[in-house]
Amino acid sequence: MTSRRILVETKNLSKDPPPGISATPDEDNCRYFHVIMAGPKGSPYEGGLFKLELFLPENYPLCPPSVRFLTKIYHPNIDKLGRICLDILKDQWSPALQIRTVLLSIQALLSAPNPDDPLANDVANMWKNDEEEAISVAKSWTRRYAVMDS
Amino acid sequence: MNTEGDVDSDMECSDNECFGDDSDYYNTDDIDIEQVDPSKNDPEYFEFECLTEEQVERLLNESVELLSNNLQILPSLAKVLLHYHNWNVSEIIGKYRENASQLLINSRVKPSSAPASNNCSRYLTCPVCVLTHSSDKFLSLNCGHLFCKGCWTIHFEVQINQGISTGISCMARECEVLVPEDFVLKLVLQPNIKEKYLQYIFQDYVKSHPQLRFCPGPNCQVVIKSQDTKAKRATCSKCKSIFCFKCGIDYHAPTDCHTIQKWLTKCADDSETANYISAHTKDCPKCHICIEKNGGCNHMQCYNCKYDFCWMCLGDWKAHGSEYYECSRYKENPNIAHESVHAQAREALKKYLHYYERWENHLKSLKLEKETFDKLKTRINQKVMSGRGTWIDWQYLFTAASLLAKCRYTLQYTYPYAYYMDTGPRKELFEYQQAQLEAEIENLSWKIERAETTDRGDLENQMDIAEKRRTTLLKDFLDV
């Protein structure tokens, strides 16, 4: 059952990719996806291309996929190992969600950081106390780590 | 025959003896029992029952039946409502009469928005496995979200393996509707997972029931039931665990649940200092020989120079006569407000150490007195063998030892209480009573360890005094 579901999702992702996101399965492992996400317009991540990895566990879609940023990013809900604090990746997961919806939710998180539910405490504090400074750090990190044509 | 009896009670008494009629004897006995009603006299009085799993099952089912009959709903839905409302049947019925639909939405039985409409085609595609099946393979809850039976089953298995039971909800995105018990049991067929589910759901029900508590003893299945959900002492009839009914940790009178939690966390945090304190030896204050404490009593006698001193303060034991006994009281530096921050920090640490040392010391004494208990057995055996009294003659020592343990236990838990108390007359009173209790306990401990005769009068007197001090302190300060 799971293989059929993964097959359908993979086909849909390549046929009709969500805007600003590409997800391609690994050649050797159809459960491992290489993801590239463009920083959303109007966010401090604009202009950057962020690499992520996405893995579908054995119980997928009854269990949520594991997703992690590989590119360094300055964001209150993403820690320095790239782990993401997002409810649908944990207790709010529903088997009716898909890889596509998960990636779109992550993209939305980049546009709207939530410093009240932080994963990276120092970043979140900066975001709350001095948002302007936090945004400028996020922009400089984007330039430094997420712009590939340098 | 007793009509004249109330004229002269002495006569009545002799009448009864003469005629052998004991109906009145029992009557007066009843009055005696009423006079010593433990619920009024004993500050630790607590009524509770120890139930087996079957008895709890029966008790819960009574509530389920009552509610499902009253509201004409399925027992499995009644269980969802009861679990959500902490088994308060009357509250549920009240809310149901007021606004049934709102109650069902709040309890996650019905969806908050209108149920999803389903087309009635013969074949449907399951959104989870994206396979197409005939529509009779599909099931939904009240919310109308259809999924195939196979996906439901795997969903339940994954959730149950994560320890989730009453909290399993519909698979649809952002749908809050809970899956009732019968729906799960209909679809989960693997016996071991079914077993797990029933076990978890039972645990959830007991935990949500305000009158029920699992015994915290290791591998103990007993459930304690009490009408009264106060921080009182419950004793498991099976594994003999003694715990606080309210918070489930070791019984802690006179300290309340919140304070003891704070204290235990503090002690765990300050483990470095605790390590430093837990050195087991001290030097004799007179001859400076190194002494290891191997009994529970704090009244020490140096085996070398025979000096009597207090293990706690290393002061002369003679100064520990009950009125002067100040060893348990912490003397605060009165000028502390004017001292530097550094000095204040040192003072705070000193204060904590004072209480911690005593807390830790009584804990250790309790453990050592367990060993004393075993030593008592051997000693009594020897005495009986050498013809000095019978086994029964020596039994009083065991009673004394268990009373000592009870008193010392309470004394141990007076220290966190005192630590968090505000300075003032009430604290002074508390520390006075605490000191009195401590003095009597040390006396008792000393006497038990050295009891050489079957002469029990002196010891029983001491037991009575210690227990009276303990109840007095609890009566005045145990506030639950």
Side-chain angles (χ1 to χ4, degrees), chain A residues 5 22-23 26 52 70 72 100 110 117-118 128 131:
Chain A
R5 158 102 181 222
S22 89
D26 191 82
L52 295 91
L70 297 173
K72 257 173 91 86
R100 168 190 303 272
L110 294 187
D117 181 21
K128 272 183 174 167
E131 195 175 339

Side-chain angles (χ1 to χ4, degrees), chain B residues 334-382:
Chain B
N335 296 322
I336 192 66
H338 307 293
E339 303 272 343
S340 67
V341 179
H342 181 71
Q344 283 187 19
R346 202 188 306 141
E347 182 69 17
L349 180 67
K350 226 172 84 192
K351 178 181 167 191
Y352 167 66
L353 286 182
H354 172 93
Y355 290 103
Y356 182 81
E357 261 185 296
R358 280 152 185 80
W359 153 271
E360 176 80 4
N361 183 51
H362 286 297
L363 181 73
K364 254 191 232 138
S365 288
L366 267 173
K367 282 188 190 142
L368 288 170
E369 269 154 6
K370 258 187 205 144
E371 287 168 27
T372 311
F373 204 82
D374 295 333
K375 277 189 235 155
L376 266 185
K377 266 190 201 159
T378 359
R379 212 166 82 217
I380 290 169
N381 265 337
Q382 284 169 357

Side-chain angles (χ1 to χ4, degrees), chain B residues 411-471:
Chain B
L411 181 60
Q412 187 198 342
Y413 280 89
T414 58
Y415 282 100
Y417 190 98
Y419 177 76
Y420 289 108
M421 256 181 133
D422 293 327
T423 329
R426 199 160 157 76
K427 182 166 185 179
E428 268 171 39
L429 175 66
F430 183 81
E431 295 202 320
Y432 174 75
Q433 292 197 7
Q434 184 188 37
Q436 298 274 302
L437 174 63
E438 185 151 18
E440 299 309 340
I441 286 174
E442 297 311 341
N443 262 337
L444 182 62
S445 184
W446 174 266
K447 282 180 178 157
I448 290 173
E449 280 181 30
R450 283 161 188 79
E452 284 299 329
T453 61
T454 52
D455 172 29
R456 43 205 279 196
D458 184 34
L459 199 86
E460 278 184 349
N461 204 8
Q462 187 60 43
M463 283 163 66
D464 192 49
I465 296 171
E467 175 62 9
K468 280 226 170 74
R469 294 266 191 243
R470 192 182 81 89
T471 16

Side-chain angles (χ1 to χ4, degrees), chain A residues 1 4-5 8 59 61-63 88 92 94-98 101 105, chain B residues 127-131 147 151 154-155 158-159 162 171-174 176:
Chain A
M1 152 202 153
R4 158 99 184 148
R5 158 102 181 222
V8 172
N59 282 322
L62 285 320
C63 284
I88 60 157
Q92 291 300 309
S94 144
L97 289 165
Q98 299 178 10
T101 39
S105 296
Chain B
V128 172
C129 62
V130 289
L131 291 172
F147 298 97
C151 285
I154 301 171
H155 174 57
V158 168
Q159 299 281 307
Q162 287 173 23
M171 282 195 279
R173 192 176 174 186
E174 281 165 8
E176 297 268 277

Side-chain angles (χ1 to χ4, degrees), chain B residues 310-343:
Chain B
C310 165
W311 179 258
M312 255 354 289
C313 67
L314 297 176
D316 192 341
W317 188 260
K318 284 191 207 102
H320 279 68
S322 61
E323 287 310 314
Y324 302 99
Y325 194 89
E326 283 216 301
C327 181
S328 53
R329 188 192 299 266
Y330 179 71
K331 290 183 207 71
E332 214 155 334
N333 181 349
N335 296 322
I336 192 66
H338 307 293
E339 303 272 343
S340 67
V341 179
H342 181 71

Side-chain angles (χ1 to χ4, degrees), chain B residues 7-69:
Chain B
V7 180
D8 184 351
S9 61
D10 278 348
M11 274 301 289
E12 184 197 314
C13 236
S14 54
D15 269 5
N16 282 337
E17 274 164 33
C18 293
F19 295 96
D21 175 11
D22 43 18
S23 68
D24 240 40
Y25 170 77
Y26 282 125
N27 276 339
T28 44
D29 200 44
D30 273 356
I31 293 161
D32 275 356
I33 287 173
E34 258 177 29
Q35 278 168 347
V36 289
D37 178 6
S39 65
K40 295 199 178 66
N41 269 315
D42 178 6
E44 294 179 294
Y45 180 77
F46 185 52
E47 247 179 69
F48 62 92
E49 280 174 88
C50 295
L51 305 180
T52 63
E53 216 164 300
E54 292 76 44
Q55 287 171 311
V56 177
E57 207 87 62
R58 220 173 302 144
L59 183 93
L60 296 178
N61 280 333
E62 276 168 27
S63 298
V64 172
E65 221 166 284
L66 181 69
L67 188 69
S68 65
N69 287 339

